[in-house]
Amino acid sequence: PAFGLFLFTIARDPLRIIILIAGAFFWLVSLLLSSLIWFIAVKASDPRDEQLQKGLLIFGVMFSVLLQEAFRFLYYKLLRKAIEGLVALSEDGCSPISIQQMAYVAGVGFGLMSGAFSMINLLADALGPGTVGIHGDSQLYFLTSAFMTMVLIFLHTFWGILFFHGCEHRRWWEITAVVVMHLTVSGSSFCNPLYVGSLVPSYLLMAAAAAWAYLLSGGSAQNLRRFLLCK
Amino acid sequence: MTELSAHLPQFQHGQVTENFPDTHLSNTNDNSERRRHDNTERRRNDRPESETNGQPQNNIQQVVEQDEEEDEELTLKYGAKHVIMLFVPVTLCMVVVVATIKSVSFYTRKDGQLIYTPFTEETETVGQRALNSILNAAIMISVIIVMTILLVVLYKYRCYKVIHGWLIISSLLLLFFFSFIYLGEVFKTYNVAMDYITVALMIWNFGVVGMICIHWKGPLRLQQAYLIMISALMALVFIKYLPEWTAWLILAVISVYDLIAVLCPKGPLRMLVETAQERNETLFPALIYSSTMVWLVNMAEEDPEAQRKASKNSTYDKQAAARQTQNEDAEADDGGFSQEWQQQRDNRIGPIESTPESRAAVQALPSNSQTSEDPEERGVKLGLGDFIFYSVLVGKASATASGDWNTTLACFVAILIGLCLTLLLLAIFKKALPALPISITFGLVFYFATDNLVQPFMDQLAFHQFYI
């Protein structure tokens, strides 16, 4: 679905593609830094202690979430500057792309990259021989991974919109809400393989974020009704 | 294997010629147009350089004014468009290389090394291996430098025949021999039975059409497709025959060399580009990927005004044909817009002697033309060597990384971002720039970082099914 989003909404406009790739790049850099930290932590600790490793991993995840949001903020700053440049250069004083569109595209960029990184090795392995969950792990591994990834990609998109909106209007509570949501979602994934603990809250949060982003972007219940009834 | 090495030196010559002039990104044809636009902008800002354009300025001042903002806006909008026009072929090339590496095991088997990299990397100690790879890289780079200088010298002394012969032989080799091997390996992988006659027919057709498209005239899309294919083939050969550390070292050194060769005043590539600009010729069509003509085709499809342009093109073609019979020069076919544009100007204004002053004067004129003509002239050219080395990086990443797809993806994004930045710099500096350094640096950094740092992290996350 995310790829479909990409095709329909972004692939037409070259500027959006660039913003998308740059968003993916920023996410990648944040991932790099967070894994650097984790790596250092792991190397500095005892590799045999399982609990410690798991704890370190959890710490790594949290840190990575925070870093991702920090990079989203940096990206926002960069896009602000870019918009000013575009406005200055455009003929009628308004930029060819609005900040909301940029927020959307940035969110998709982040989401696509994170989704790709989460899923692609899995997919490659899925092509090969083997049985899922033969060692007593859950048999739904692939399915749940797929769903989780999808929900994450969507969430990134919505968080992008919310985040940029919050930065635009200086509403810090919006930004903290996004960060908290991200932390919650990642945290809920710690309950895996108890999937009900992670998938359900994530989907609920996604629905909430979707509604919020929709309202922020100027939609309303009437718009939705009109759109659905094709008036 | 011996037979392969015997062919390879010949091919290597070809490869290197493809290599070096291409390791730069140029908008030589853009330059004349950019100069024009710069001049129009500067006239508004009353900067002193505007005198270069001579008399026609005063007459067209007002017309210029309205066109300026459109010019600037166009600059940026089409800046994005050009980035995409380059993204697509680079992506395609990388996709082809990665797909081949993943599926055809031939290209990841170690079947020996080229004679250009005589030192083996299967040594006992790490130090020995490092030394060997440094020596290998040094030999390779010196070969490339020698070839570059040779080509520049030939170009300066107008030995066009030699250069053309060289290029033709190398592209012949690529198109026939390497695609034959490639096809053979693909068939082996998928266990497809094929007889020699069919193969001969296919390769013959492929090769001949390729030669025509690249060196002579042909539909732009087809020419671009062929250039992408031969870049991918070259990259595959590199990936196969270069040992590990040597490959990374060569990538690093060649980006440094690219930087030096294009930006230093005495650098061979810079001299090549400047000589080409002085003589107002395009660089060799077989070595450069151009995106310019795409605009023409697009405009012709969707813009009524393009009908007129289409007629101009026909005049261009006749002129080009005439020019070709005059100079026996096959260089006019790659969408060299500076010539085409000048031809059109000559048509409209009457034959003007191509002196620098008149050229400058004429360059100021087209502001009275429609702005829709502008996109025609804004094309970006990327050398084939850049394609090759980007693909080598991504291909090596996908072949030998423990992180596999993650690393490949990371390198891919890194290279695209590098390309973006390079094009941005190009738009700012408006002269030929090396396309390799930034992208390759990003790519290398991301490759090593992802492979060693991110991969364990992601593995652990996937194992526990945590999500970040």
Side-chain angles (χ1 to χ4, degrees):
Chain A
F3 196 59
L5 262 184
F6 168 71
L7 279 180
F8 284 125
T9 57
I10 298 185
R12 302 281 162 216
D13 187 7
L15 203 54
R16 295 187 201 171
I17 297 187
I18 299 180
I19 300 181
L20 181 92
I21 304 274
F25 180 68
F26 271 78
W27 186 87
L28 200 60
V29 173
S30 84
L31 179 67
L32 209 77
L33 288 177
S34 50
S35 56
L36 178 67
I37 306 280
W38 176 80
F39 195 71
I40 296 176
V42 163
K43 286 297 178 202
S45 70
D46 180 10
R48 278 174 310 254
D49 189 350
E50 271 287 330
Q51 276 308 101
L52 181 62
Q53 291 300 316
K54 196 151 187 210
L56 272 182
L57 199 60
I58 294 183
F59 161 71
V61 168
M62 291 300 165
F63 192 72
S64 166
V65 167
L66 292 173
L67 259 184
Q68 279 180 38
E69 297 304 324
F71 268 84
R72 210 195 291 270
F73 184 66
L74 280 177
Y75 194 42
Y76 165 73
K77 285 270 183 234
L78 184 69
L79 284 180
R80 284 290 286 163
K81 290 235 177 66
I83 275 207
E84 284 161 24
L86 282 176
V87 168
L89 282 177
S90 81
E91 54 189 9
D92 50 0
C94 70
S95 98
I97 187 167
S98 75
I99 189 80
Q100 281 112 342
Q101 285 178 336
M102 279 200 187
Y104 165 68
V105 174
V108 174
F110 269 56
L112 270 181
M113 206 57 189
S114 97
F117 261 70
S118 311
M119 270 309 277
I120 199 132
N121 273 335
L122 223 58
L123 286 173
D125 285 334
L127 282 178
T131 322
V132 182
I134 199 169
H135 281 254
D137 297 318
S138 159
Q139 282 186 325
L140 297 169
Y141 187 69
F142 282 134
L143 269 182
T144 46
S145 302
F147 277 111
M148 194 69 190
T149 314
M150 187 177 85
V151 82
L152 249 194
I153 299 182
F154 282 143
L155 274 174
H156 268 294
T157 316
F158 299 133
W159 285 334
I161 301 179
L162 294 172
F163 195 86
F164 279 41
H165 186 260
C167 289
E168 279 289 310
H169 299 265
R170 300 249 173 272
R171 291 195 209 159
W172 303 116
W173 63 275
E174 276 190 20
I175 300 179
T176 39
V178 169
V179 176
V180 163
M181 256 202 276
H182 197 168
L183 282 171
T184 327
V185 169
S186 292
S188 70
S189 72
F190 294 152
C191 315
N192 282 339
L194 185 67
Y195 291 124
V196 69
S198 69
L199 274 181
V200 173
S202 311
Y203 270 90
L204 289 175
L205 274 178
M206 183 187 88
W212 193 0
Y214 183 66
L215 287 171
L216 277 186
S217 314
S220 66
Q222 290 152 325
N223 273 353
L224 192 61
R225 210 176 301 136
R226 247 185 277 148
F227 167 71
L228 285 174
L229 298 176
C230 289
K231 285 232 181 73
Chain B
M1 195 46 222
T2 52
E3 153 194 344
L4 197 58
S5 334
H7 282 286
L8 277 167
Q10 196 187 16
F11 139 76
Q12 280 297 333
H13 290 293
Q15 158 265 312
V16 171
T17 64
E18 285 191 342
N19 220 342
F20 93 85
D22 319 333
T23 53
H24 69 274
L25 175 68
S26 80
N27 59 351
T28 52
N29 297 321
D30 263 356
N31 277 346
S32 44
E33 281 69 38
R34 299 253 184 198
R35 251 178 270 138
R36 163 172 69 89
H37 290 298
D38 283 349
N39 287 329
T40 63
E41 291 163 24
R42 286 184 197 141
R43 235 176 282 130
R44 177 169 73 157
N45 303 335
D46 288 328
R47 283 204 223 145
E49 294 106 16
S50 53
E51 283 94 49
T52 55
N53 273 338
Q55 349 47 314
Q57 284 179 32
N58 323 334
N59 313 347
I60 41 180
Q61 194 103 18
Q62 305 122 307
V63 193
V64 160
E65 293 277 344
Q66 347 160 250
D67 286 334
E68 277 158 18
E69 288 100 14
E70 294 171 33
D71 287 347
E72 290 175 15
E73 154 82 344
L74 280 167
T75 308
L76 204 63
K77 237 200 249 171
Y78 294 119
K81 201 90 187 191
H82 290 313
V83 175
I84 302 303
M85 287 203 299
L86 279 186
F87 267 11
V88 174
V90 172
T91 314
L92 273 178
C93 196
M94 288 200 246
V95 161
V96 167
V97 170
V98 170
T100 313
I101 297 257
K102 286 290 178 196
S103 54
V104 181
S105 65
F106 173 72
Y107 288 103
T108 39
R109 268 203 316 264
K110 276 212 69 67
D111 277 344
Q113 297 178 209
L114 297 171
I115 62 166
Y116 292 93
T117 52
F119 298 99
T120 173
E121 279 199 14
E122 327 255 328
T123 58
E124 291 92 36
T125 66
V126 176
Q128 182 74 6
R129 184 176 191 186
L131 184 68
N132 276 355
S133 50
I134 292 180
L135 286 174
N136 274 342
I139 294 179
M140 196 74 163
I141 293 295
S142 45
V143 166
I144 291 179
I145 294 181
V146 162
M147 290 299 172
T148 308
I149 297 185
L150 188 61
L151 191 63
V152 175
V153 160
L154 283 178
Y155 192 70
K156 260 194 129 49
Y157 292 113
R158 299 182 185 263
C159 308
Y160 290 136
K161 290 281 172 73
V162 180
I163 298 182
H164 277 305
W166 192 359
L167 282 180
I168 288 183
I169 292 180
S170 64
S171 42
L172 259 175
L173 189 69
L174 260 183
L175 277 175
F176 286 104
F177 187 61
F178 283 105
S179 44
F180 174 63
I181 294 183
Y182 178 74
L183 210 58
E185 293 303 324
V186 168
F187 285 148
K188 268 189 229 168
T189 310
Y190 290 110
N191 215 5
V192 175
M194 183 67 75
D195 56 303
Y196 273 122
I197 301 181
T198 314
V199 168
L201 207 61
M202 286 202 304
I203 297 283
W204 174 255
N205 281 337
F206 180 73
V208 168
V209 175
M211 287 301 287
I212 295 179
C213 261
I214 298 176
H215 290 278
W216 196 47
K217 285 199 260 266
L220 182 73
R221 286 281 183 224
L222 201 56
Q223 186 190 27
Q224 290 175 336
Y226 266 104
L227 288 176
I228 294 179
M229 279 192 267
I230 63 176
S231 310
L233 282 175
M234 274 288 321
L236 283 170
V237 170
F238 267 138
I239 296 175
K240 181 174 172 62
Y241 286 113
L242 284 181
E244 292 266 344
W245 292 14
T246 312
W248 298 116
L249 267 179
I250 287 185
L251 276 175
V253 177
I254 212 171
S255 52
V256 170
Y257 166 68
D258 197 29
L259 199 62
I260 301 176
V262 175
L263 291 180
C264 285
K266 276 300 175 190
L269 294 184
R270 184 177 175 139
M271 282 174 29
L272 185 72
V273 172
E274 282 175 0
T275 321
Q277 280 182 333
E278 274 168 40
R279 299 182 194 164
N280 232 0
E281 294 165 350
T282 54
L283 297 167
F284 316 104
L287 304 177
I288 299 202
Y289 178 93
S290 89
S291 52
T292 45
M293 267 220 246
V294 180
W295 265 114
L296 255 175
V297 173
N298 286 342
M299 297 297 276
E301 285 164 11
E302 64 205 11
D303 199 337
E305 290 188 71
Q307 304 311 322
R308 212 177 3 86
K309 272 180 234 116
S311 61
K312 279 188 209 156
N313 284 345
S314 53
T315 57
Y316 162 61
D317 280 344
K318 291 193 217 94
Q319 300 246 336
R323 264 184 66 238
Q324 276 179 348
T325 52
Q326 282 164 21
N327 334 351
E328 297 169 43
D329 218 315
E331 291 179 60
D333 60 314
D334 76 331
F337 272 107
S338 60
Q339 280 101 330
E340 177 193 18
W341 199 64
Q342 283 178 357
Q343 304 283 357
Q344 292 167 7
R345 277 199 322 254
D346 288 345
N347 291 341
R348 277 185 269 131
I349 303 161
I352 297 181
E353 218 179 86
S354 175
T355 63
E357 300 86 19
S358 66
R359 212 181 298 149
V362 165
Q363 276 172 6
L365 275 177
S367 51
N368 57 3
S369 60
Q370 310 70 10
T371 50
S372 57
E373 200 174 329
D374 292 346
E376 228 184 86
E377 291 139 5
R378 298 173 186 277
V380 192
K381 292 183 190 299
L382 186 61
L384 280 191
D386 298 330
F387 277 90
I388 295 179
F389 283 109
Y390 292 160
S391 311
V392 166
L393 200 148
V394 175
K396 264 272 188 248
S398 77
T400 63
S402 62
D404 238 9
W405 287 96
N406 280 346
T407 323
T408 315
L409 256 185
C411 289
F412 170 70
V413 172
I415 289 184
L416 283 187
I417 293 290
L419 194 61
C420 252
L421 284 175
T422 312
L423 286 173
L424 197 67
L425 287 180
L426 189 69
I428 297 178
F429 288 117
K430 299 195 172 64
K431 55 178 198 168
L433 282 183
L436 279 183
I438 302 182
S439 290
I440 300 269
T441 320
F442 275 1
L444 284 175
V445 162
F446 270 82
Y447 170 74
F448 286 113
T450 316
D451 202 23
N452 299 322
L453 296 176
V454 177
Q455 194 39 43
F457 189 43
M458 294 306 293
D459 266 343
Q460 287 291 313
L461 286 181
F463 182 66
H464 294 276
Q465 229 181 2
F466 292 166
Y467 281 91
I468 58 164

